[in-house]
Amino acid sequence: MSARGEIFAKVELLAAVRALDVVVTSADEEWLRDRFVTEVLAGKDAENVGVETATNLRVGEDLPANIAAYRIDGIPVLLGALRDRTRRAVQDEVRRYRNQAMIARAWLGKEAANLQLFLIGPLGSMDDMLWRQLAEEVEIDDRVCRKLVWLPSDAPKIEDAAYFLQRTFLARPWADALRPRRLDRLRELALPEGWDAIVRDSSLTPDQLIAAIIKSTPLPEDS
């Protein structure tokens, strides 16, 4: 995926997240560091040169070149992209993201189990059968954290990203995020005059209840 396409897809995904009316904040920088907590503590010792050497090698060989971290509705999320179509290359990319997730988990402490990894495929990968297979293989790998792959179209829209989010912890039971609020507002509506007493009259049979409601309802005026 080109850098421009990657940014475009990322923007659409984050826009879809914010449309769900959840709080999105940038995560702690430590999640994206090249060192574990223990290594940082050990690095304070000037004699420990080996730690610095090991982490320098890790940056080039074992960690992703481009990754972001957020708290979405309080849940820690790492966001990255898959760029190469070959299975070997994708496996190597996922390995790097998995390593970063291990570092993030170390800094998250008791929240480590909640960490999620969202990966975006190249533009146009939605209709690519090989990419679909690769995405399934990535998602089956449950080591370190849960991984979910969004395969966007050539020109993804916010609706496409929202559809992907329905597979994540952000899934909502309503397709329309505003619908629950609209349903809540129905409680503010008053029953027509006389209906409340009729509905609360437990002595009425179903037929009598219907008849009483019909009788109490005024007929519309002729136009």
Side-chain angles (χ1 to χ4, degrees), residues 30-32 36-37 76 78 98-116 142-146:
E30 285 82 0
W31 301 2
L32 303 182
F36 293 91
V37 179
L78 298 180
R98 191 168 58 236
N99 289 341
Q100 190 69 67
M102 289 177 64
I103 293 177
R105 282 178 61 101
W107 287 95
L108 280 166
K110 63 181 181 181
E111 292 185 273
N114 296 330
L115 181 65
Q116 308 271 311
D142 60 357
R143 287 174 291 177
V144 183
C145 67
R146 186 184 183 194

Side-chain angles (χ1 to χ4, degrees), residues 77-149:
V77 176
L78 298 180
L79 179 59
L82 300 174
R83 300 177 178 178
D84 201 312
R85 191 172 181 266
T86 66
R87 177 171 279 102
R88 178 174 295 181
V90 169
Q91 289 174 343
D92 184 63
E93 286 181 314
V94 172
R95 175 185 64 84
R96 293 169 182 257
Y97 283 116
R98 191 168 58 236
N99 289 341
Q100 190 69 67
M102 289 177 64
I103 293 177
R105 282 178 61 101
W107 287 95
L108 280 166
K110 63 181 181 181
E111 292 185 273
N114 296 330
L115 181 65
Q116 308 271 311
L117 174 58
F118 293 174
L119 296 172
I120 304 174
L123 297 184
S125 56
M126 179 180 70
D127 298 320
D128 188 315
M129 184 58 68
L130 176 57
W131 264 113
R132 290 187 180 183
Q133 294 175 354
L134 293 174
E136 289 180 2
E137 292 175 11
V138 172
E139 294 185 350
I140 289 174
D141 177 10
D142 60 357
R143 287 174 291 177
V144 183
C145 67
R146 186 184 183 194
K147 307 170 190 67
L148 289 166
V149 181

Side-chain angles (χ1 to χ4, degrees), residues 14-35:
L14 291 176
V17 170
R18 292 188 173 94
L20 295 175
D21 196 24
V22 298
V23 177
V24 181
T25 58
S26 295
D28 299 335
E29 294 182 1
E30 285 82 0
W31 301 2
L32 303 182
R33 295 190 67 159
D34 57 2
R35 288 185 277 182

